[in-house]
Amino acid sequence: MLKLGIPKGSLQEATIDLFAQAGWRITPHSRNYYPDIDDPEIHCSLLRAQEMARYVERGTLDLGLTGLDWILETEADVEQICTLTYSKASNRPSRWVLVVPEHSPIQSVADLQGCKVATELVGFTKRYLAERGVTAEVEFSWGATEAKAVEGLVDAVVEITETGSTIRAHGLRIVEDLLITDTRLIANREAMRDPARRARIEQIALMLQAALAARHKVALKCNVPAELLDAVVELLPSLHAPTVSHLYDPRWLAVETIVDSALVRDLIPRLRAAGAEGILEYELRKMI
C-alpha cells in the first residue's frame, strides 16, 4: 500500500483534477481526511501543504505534493521527484516577497537590521537574513500578514504573492523577492529504496508529468491537396515532423501534428489560406 498525501486547501481541487487526467479518480469526503481513490494499492490522506514534507520525511506518507517553500521551511530530508506547476489560479510562479509600507525607509534586506518582521515562513526567513548578516526579530503570523504592516505592528512582512496586486492595493510596497516557489512531488527516502514502492512512485510521477505536458498542447489534423503539401507542412511546428498519410483519393493527403495551444488561433487561418481543409483541433489527455 502506497501512502499518498494530497494538499488540502487552495491546491486540493487542482491536484484532484490533475490526478484524474493522469488516470486516478480521487473522491474526497466532507467528514474525513481520507479520500477514496480507484487504485487498491494507494491510500490517500488530505494534509496541509505546510506539513506535508515533515510527514513524508518521517515515513507517515510515502509521497505527497507540496511547495518548495514548505520543503525549505521545514528543512525536511525528502527526495524531490519532479516539479509540477498546475495551479488553476495563475500560470505565474508564486513569490515570497519582502513587503513594507509605501513610505517606509526600508529599501533592501540589509535595512532590516534591528527590525521586526512577520511571516508564516519563519524558519526560511530567519536563515535568509542570517546568511546576509542581518539581525532582525522574525515572528510567526497566523494570518492577515499584510495587515500587520499596514497597521504598523511590524516594520515589514514576508508574504507570498503571484501578481503583487493585493499588496499594492493595501498601500504596501514590494522591496525584493526572497524565494520563487513551485509545487514538488516529494517522496520518503526509505520508500524510494524499496523497489516496489519506487516503481509506483515513478509511475505516478510519469503520468502526472504527461498530463501536465498535454495541457499546453493540442492536436491538429487537416486534409491537404497533394500539390500544396509542402506549403502547408512548412507552416506546422511539431515535435519531430508532421504525420502525413494518403487518403482514398490519391489527390489528397491527411496531415496531423501536435502544436502549442497558444499558436492555434493564428495557425488555423494560415493553414486555411494555404489550402488545408477539414481542419480539426482536439485536446490531448497525456503526452510523453
Side-chain angles (χ1 to χ4, degrees):
M1 183 70 69
L2 194 72
K3 297 168 290 186
L4 168 65
I6 301 296
K8 179 176 174 58
S10 61
L11 274 180
Q12 179 177 326
E13 182 180 351
T15 301
I16 290 173
D17 288 346
L18 178 61
F19 268 87
Q21 186 177 340
W24 287 273
R25 187 173 67 252
I26 298 174
T27 307
H29 302 288
S30 59
R31 296 188 178 183
N32 67 47
Y33 294 100
Y34 304 103
D36 291 333
I37 183 169
D38 62 344
D39 188 324
E41 296 181 356
I42 299 177
H43 174 74
C44 278
S45 300
L46 283 175
L47 199 67
R48 284 171 57 85
Q50 292 89 329
E51 303 174 297
M52 189 74 70
R54 181 182 301 117
Y55 287 103
V56 170
E57 179 185 35
R58 294 175 182 173
T60 307
L61 299 171
D62 293 314
L63 76 162
L65 296 99
T66 189
L68 173 63
D69 44 2
W70 301 116
I71 299 171
L72 297 176
E73 172 68 6
T74 58
E75 297 185 278
D77 181 22
V78 295
E79 187 156 341
Q80 298 184 37
I81 306 300
C82 60
T83 298
L84 301 167
T85 303
Y86 60 93
S87 170
K88 287 189 173 181
S90 171
N91 289 326
R92 303 184 185 187
S94 294
R95 304 175 291 148
W96 284 91
V97 294
L98 176 63
V99 177
V100 298
E102 181 62 43
H103 302 295
S104 169
I106 296 172
Q107 299 296 325
S108 71
V109 168
D111 296 332
L112 292 176
Q113 188 71 31
C115 291
K116 181 179 291 186
V117 182
T119 182
E120 191 177 354
L121 207 67
V122 173
F124 171 83
T125 302
K126 285 182 175 180
R127 294 192 301 274
Y128 187 94
L129 296 179
E131 290 168 1
R132 288 154 182 80
V134 175
T135 301
E137 181 182 346
V138 181
E139 62 182 29
F140 181 77
S141 174
W142 292 94
T145 306
E146 294 164 348
K148 294 177 173 64
V150 173
E151 297 168 8
L153 300 177
V154 295
D155 300 295
V157 299
V158 174
E159 180 67 309
I160 193 167
T161 185
E162 289 180 346
T163 65
S165 58
T166 302
I167 290 171
R168 292 189 293 271
H170 283 89
L172 301 172
R173 169 170 54 86
I174 295 176
V175 176
E176 58 185 84
D177 291 5
L178 273 58
L179 173 68
I180 296 178
T181 186
D182 48 36
T183 304
R184 305 289 173 96
L185 180 67
I186 59 174
N188 173 266
R189 293 195 181 279
E190 184 177 344
M192 291 297 289
R193 287 191 286 269
D194 174 54
R197 284 186 290 175
R198 183 186 184 95
R200 291 309 311 274
I201 290 169
E202 290 177 344
Q203 175 200 7
I204 291 170
L206 175 66
M207 299 307 290
L208 291 177
Q209 291 178 96
L212 277 179
R215 289 186 175 184
H216 305 292
K217 304 284 185 179
V218 296
L220 284 182
K221 190 171 185 177
C222 60
N223 294 332
V224 182
E227 68 272 15
L228 300 178
L229 178 63
D230 289 343
V232 169
V233 169
E234 189 174 334
L235 297 173
L236 293 174
S238 65
L239 290 176
H240 299 293
T243 299
V244 179
S245 55
H246 289 276
L247 300 181
Y248 182 78
D249 185 338
R251 296 171 299 174
W252 287 83
L253 299 165
V255 178
E256 187 170 4
T257 191
I258 306 298
V259 301
D260 290 337
S261 56
L263 300 177
V264 172
R265 66 185 184 189
D266 297 322
L267 183 56
I268 287 180
R270 295 172 65 194
L271 291 173
R272 179 62 185 268
E277 297 183 11
I279 303 171
L280 299 176
E281 174 192 349
Y282 47 97
E283 294 182 351
L284 306 175
R285 294 291 292 173
K286 300 172 187 68
M287 189 177 76
I288 299 174

